Amino acid sequence: MAAVRRAARHSRRVFDIFVAEVPWTVSSKELKEYFSQFGSVQRCQLPFDKDTGFHKRYCWIKFSSPEEVQNVLQKDSHILEGAKLILRQQQGRRYLQPKRESM
């Protein structure tokens, strides 16, 4: 029984995409609405700073399927309220660095 609970807890921590540079004016509801155009968003976790009351400008997004994650990553850029979001796909417990454009 404990192993099942531990596995469930572990699976809840695994997200598909890490999103950085989230404008401080954007809420988790708005993020979920934005990313739902690419597929079914199961979870959006936007951590807050207890001292300031503002979110930390990054979040994690969990989709229902790998195809939905690919839908997100196929788009060149994601812009919310004039700010370009930085996305990293998770592979296992690590996040892959986005490809940098050569100069």
Side-chain angles (χ1 to χ4, degrees):
M1 185 70 162
V4 172
R5 270 188 257 135
R6 198 172 322 122
R9 238 182 299 134
H10 174 73
S11 68
R12 277 184 267 153
R13 286 189 225 143
V14 177
F15 287 85
D16 296 314
I17 296 178
F18 173 80
V19 183
E21 301 299 321
V22 177
W24 66 270
T25 55
V26 174
S27 69
S28 61
K29 181 182 176 187
E30 291 169 311
L31 285 163
K32 194 170 183 176
E33 286 174 6
Y34 173 78
F35 283 105
S36 66
Q37 69 181 305
F38 303 102
S40 177
V41 176
Q42 287 185 331
R43 201 162 167 217
C44 174
Q45 185 172 348
L46 182 66
F48 278 79
D49 184 314
K50 293 177 185 176
D51 295 330
T52 65
F54 294 107
H55 65 71
K56 296 182 179 183
R57 300 201 59 214
Y58 59 84
C59 72
W60 293 274
I61 306 288
K62 174 82 176 150
F63 287 92
S64 296
S65 72
E67 294 80 21
E68 295 168 343
V69 174
Q70 290 309 310
N71 290 341
V72 173
L73 297 174
Q74 285 178 355
K75 186 172 179 185
D76 286 335
S77 63
H78 298 273
I79 298 174
L80 272 177
E81 295 191 9
K84 186 175 180 181
L85 305 177
I86 298 172
L87 277 63
R88 294 188 187 127
Q89 180 182 11
Q90 183 172 358
Q91 182 157 356
R93 299 280 297 164
R94 307 174 91 191
Y95 287 95
L96 301 175
Q97 295 294 329
K99 293 179 184 176
R100 300 212 182 253
E101 296 176 15
S102 57
M103 304 252 174

